Amino acid sequence: MKQWWKSGSPWIWLNGGAVSISIIMVFGLIALILVRGFGHFWPHNVVATTYSMPGAETVNLVGVLRKSETLSAQALREAGIPLPEDQVLATRHLFKQGNRDVTHRDFVYMVDDFLGEWSYPRDITVFERREWGDFFGTPLRLLEHGQVVAERDQVWPELQARLKRSNRLFDEIRQIERHEIGNVNFRIERVRLDERRATLRGNLTPEAQAEFVSRRAALDQEYAVLQERLNALLADVRRDAVVMTVADGREVTIGLDRIVKAWQPNNMSIPAKVGFYAVAFYDFIFGYPREANTEGGIFPAIFGTVVMVIVMSIIVTPFGVLAAIYLREYAKQGPLLKAIRISVYNLAGVPSIVFGVFGLGFFVYVMGGAIDRAFYPEALPAPTFGTPGLFWASLTLALLTLPVVIVSTEEGLSRIPSTIRMGSLALGATKGETLWKVVVPLATPAMMTGLILAIARAAGEVAPLMLVGVVKLAPTLPIDGNFPFIHLERKIMHLGFHIYDVGFQSPHAEAAEALVYATALILVLLIVALNLSAITIRNHLREKYRAESD
């Protein structure tokens, strides 16, 4: 046994076991996210049953089973559930019953002992609404301007056709509100700022004043035309409505302008469900959030995350590479250089929230305030760059990931054999030519490795971004058709903060649970895609310079 311990085999087995456990935990986490995330979009069957508890009225229930759990019967008895005293365990089910505006709660727990027989009526219809969450019911009548146009069995096919029309009109309304009217408002604000700039500079001549009045009048006219068109569309989209009956027999009228999509899950075949799943996943990726981020899509968060990481990469790469080249190739070795390296290593261990506080205090208030005073005085006191935004979030993340790029680049430079340097110098090249034409290209894969690590860390950071530019809901994207097209001063949404907000700040925890897993899945896939792109570039460069060196 002593010989076995001295041979080092136990430590090998210990390391192997630790690595195996870590791999199992990682894959287990990924599997959980995949199952819960992808399961969010599947159209589950709707259950119809009754709930009859002693001493209470019988309740009709229509909803989707979300989860089941077995609990101590004693715990349920203490919660007021009249279970027999000799019962040890009991099962309760969590149903999503929707109809929040009717029942005042989306989710309800039901103890299995008091549930009646489960059935799956084929005509139960589910609506995804623009507000108030999902709606479950049976269609009775379809109305146009309050007049019945279809009843009973004729409602469903006619509803599908009219819902497509309603959604087409709604998309046109959103296009006008978000883009066309938004563009006009942007240009009106530009006129106001131009006029104020001329006033501050003393250039507001009568001719200039007349030009501003003319520009504003033309924009006002354009706005009035768009508003008239928008009002007509709003009146048209409210034309149709559907009368539904809910579980307790009440009739509820819902305008088709409030419905995103409708489906009858109990009446769908497997291919139909797969097609619905694909459309739901697409809408989640490219849609906009609704209902305090607990409904709708996450496209602004995906877009904001990608743009922020790209801007961060553009900032951190040259600074990190140049700093590493100076420290490795030019700086004089000594105590000062050792202190600088120690500082860089320690900087990598500073909590990210500290970088956020620094970014808010220095980048936003000091640098941003100075930029506003120097270049945007006409907008003051409203800040332009003196407020959290995309650029400051990217700059803060660049500072956060700078040590990673520096250390990785230095390691790459140190691995270049000295014989390559000496061979270049022997052929007559200067030190600068040797460095920039021979050494740096060979160290490019190491630089890309540093960038990969920086992207992986930056894409998942949340704490500092909450202070320097990421918000719960951004009204506009940081890129649009208005000059200068990329608006670095705008606030953005971020997938990591979106997960935090939905998971911990949502008033509907049960509704947010599935969305958290789905958003986490997209964040993981996005990080993997960004890293794979960088790895592909790194491997290409590695093979290229390896072939040239051979």
Side-chain angles (χ1 to χ4, degrees):
M1 181 62 70
K2 288 185 178 180
Q3 189 64 29
W4 184 65
W5 278 98
K6 290 181 179 179
S7 67
S9 296
W11 308 113
I12 296 175
W13 283 101
L14 181 62
N15 288 333
V19 171
S20 300
I21 293 173
S22 300
I23 292 175
I24 292 173
M25 293 175 64
V26 169
F27 279 99
L29 176 62
I30 293 176
L32 175 65
I33 294 175
L34 286 173
V35 171
R36 297 288 184 88
F38 280 123
H40 172 66
F41 308 102
W42 187 259
H44 300 281
N45 287 343
V46 180
V47 177
T49 184
T50 59
Y51 189 70
S52 180
M53 200 164 57
E57 295 182 2
T58 300
V59 176
N60 294 319
L61 173 68
V62 172
V64 175
L65 177 64
R66 291 296 294 268
K67 65 180 179 180
S68 301
E69 55 187 9
T70 301
L71 303 173
S72 166
Q74 180 62 31
L76 292 177
R77 282 193 292 269
E78 293 175 356
I81 306 298
L83 292 171
E85 290 296 331
D86 58 345
Q87 186 171 343
V88 179
L89 298 175
T91 300
R92 70 173 183 176
H93 307 285
L94 177 64
F95 289 95
K96 179 181 180 181
Q97 63 176 351
N99 302 6
R100 191 189 314 158
D101 49 338
V102 178
T103 62
H104 306 295
R105 54 178 178 171
D106 282 324
F107 293 82
V108 61
Y109 276 104
M110 299 290 187
V111 179
D112 187 70
D113 299 59
F114 309 119
L115 284 173
E117 183 180 353
W118 293 19
S119 63
Y120 299 89
R122 300 175 68 86
D123 59 346
I124 289 183
T125 303
V126 183
F127 291 154
E128 179 184 338
R129 297 185 290 180
R130 306 190 192 281
E131 56 184 17
W132 296 106
D134 290 347
F135 186 92
F136 297 83
T138 304
L140 292 179
R141 296 180 296 277
L142 190 63
L143 309 178
E144 178 181 330
H145 295 306
Q147 302 298 318
V148 177
V149 294
E151 291 185 286
R152 299 293 178 181
D153 295 339
Q154 289 77 33
V155 171
W156 177 246
E158 185 68 19
L159 172 66
Q160 291 289 80
R162 290 176 180 255
L163 187 57
K164 289 181 181 179
R165 171 188 176 276
S166 175
N167 282 330
R168 185 175 65 253
L169 293 174
F170 191 85
D171 291 340
E172 189 174 349
I173 290 171
R174 284 292 172 263
Q175 173 69 22
I176 294 174
E177 290 178 341
R178 285 181 177 158
H179 300 285
E180 297 183 38
I181 289 182
N183 177 268
V184 173
N185 288 332
F186 181 84
R187 287 182 288 158
I188 289 175
E189 178 65 10
R190 281 298 180 92
V191 172
R192 185 188 73 83
L193 294 178
D194 289 344
E195 184 176 6
R196 178 166 169 76
R197 185 184 302 112
T199 301
L200 293 175
R201 295 177 179 178
N203 298 329
L204 190 61
T205 61
E207 293 79 8
Q209 181 68 48
E211 181 185 355
F212 291 136
V213 171
S214 175
R215 288 170 58 188
R216 189 177 290 108
L219 291 172
D220 288 342
Q221 180 64 29
E222 187 175 347
Y223 183 90
V225 172
L226 289 174
Q227 188 63 51
E228 183 178 354
R229 186 169 141 215
L230 181 63
N231 292 336
L233 288 172
L234 288 172
D236 196 16
V237 78
R238 298 184 183 123
R239 185 192 72 178
D240 301 323
V242 60
V243 180
M244 305 287 291
T245 179
V246 296
D248 60 5
R250 282 183 287 175
E251 294 185 3
V252 179
T253 303
I254 303 175
L256 265 60
D257 60 306
R258 296 165 53 194
I259 302 174
V260 179
K261 55 175 169 279
W263 65 99
Q264 293 181 331
N266 299 344
N267 198 30
M268 296 171 70
S269 62
I270 295 299
K273 288 189 175 184
V274 171
F276 179 92
Y277 182 94
V279 172
F281 187 78
Y282 177 88
D283 292 340
F284 180 71
I285 298 297
F286 294 99
Y288 284 76
R290 304 188 308 272
E291 291 286 292
N293 291 341
T294 59
E295 301 285 347
I298 57 172
F299 178 71
I302 295 175
F303 193 87
T305 303
V306 172
V307 171
M308 185 193 65
V309 169
I310 291 174
V311 175
M312 181 275 299
S313 302
I314 294 173
I315 296 173
V316 74
T317 302
F319 282 100
V321 169
L322 291 175
I325 291 174
Y326 176 79
L327 292 175
R328 188 72 194 178
E329 303 292 335
Y330 289 102
K332 183 179 179 181
Q333 302 298 319
L336 179 60
L337 189 62
K338 288 183 179 179
I340 292 175
R341 282 204 172 94
I342 291 173
S343 300
V344 170
Y345 297 150
N346 289 336
L347 195 63
V350 174
S352 59
I353 189 64
V354 176
F355 286 94
V357 174
F358 174 80
L360 179 65
F362 181 72
F363 292 148
V364 176
Y365 293 149
V366 176
M367 292 182 58
I371 291 174
D372 284 350
R373 290 188 294 272
F375 300 102
Y376 302 97
E378 66 278 1
L380 293 175
T384 303
F385 277 91
T387 184
L390 168 63
F391 183 67
W392 303 130
S394 302
L395 196 58
T396 301
L397 286 185
L399 186 63
L400 176 68
T401 56
L402 184 62
V404 177
V405 178
I406 292 176
V407 172
S408 180
T409 304
E410 272 204 89
E411 290 293 328
L413 293 171
S414 66
R415 292 196 183 100
I416 306 301
S418 59
T419 53
I420 294 180
R421 290 180 171 86
M422 290 186 290
S424 176
L425 294 173
L427 291 174
T430 64
K431 182 179 180 180
E433 291 173 336
T434 300
L435 175 65
W436 294 105
K437 295 184 178 181
V438 179
V439 176
V440 170
L442 292 176
T444 302
M447 300 174 192
M448 291 301 301
T449 300
L451 181 59
I452 291 169
L453 296 174
I455 289 174
R457 183 176 183 187
E461 283 291 346
V462 176
L465 302 179
M466 296 166 63
L467 301 176
V468 290
V470 170
V471 292
K472 175 187 177 73
L473 186 63
T476 55
L477 297 177
I479 296 178
D480 57 23
N482 297 315
F483 184 83
F485 311 118
I486 301 178
H487 303 276
L488 298 178
E489 78 282 1
R490 288 183 182 174
K491 295 175 175 59
I492 60 171
M493 295 181 67
H494 185 271
L495 283 171
F497 183 72
H498 188 79
I499 293 171
Y500 164 78
D501 177 68
V502 173
F504 298 98
Q505 303 295 316
S506 172
H508 305 288
E510 294 88 354
E513 180 180 352
L515 191 63
V516 167
Y517 281 108
T519 308
L521 171 64
I522 300 303
L523 178 59
V524 170
L525 294 178
L526 179 62
I527 293 175
V528 169
L530 291 171
N531 286 344
L532 285 178
S533 301
I535 289 171
T536 302
I537 296 173
R538 181 191 65 184
N539 292 341
H540 173 73
L541 294 173
R542 180 180 293 163
E543 294 299 325
K544 174 184 176 182
Y545 292 118
R546 180 181 297 170
E548 290 181 357
S549 62
D550 292 341

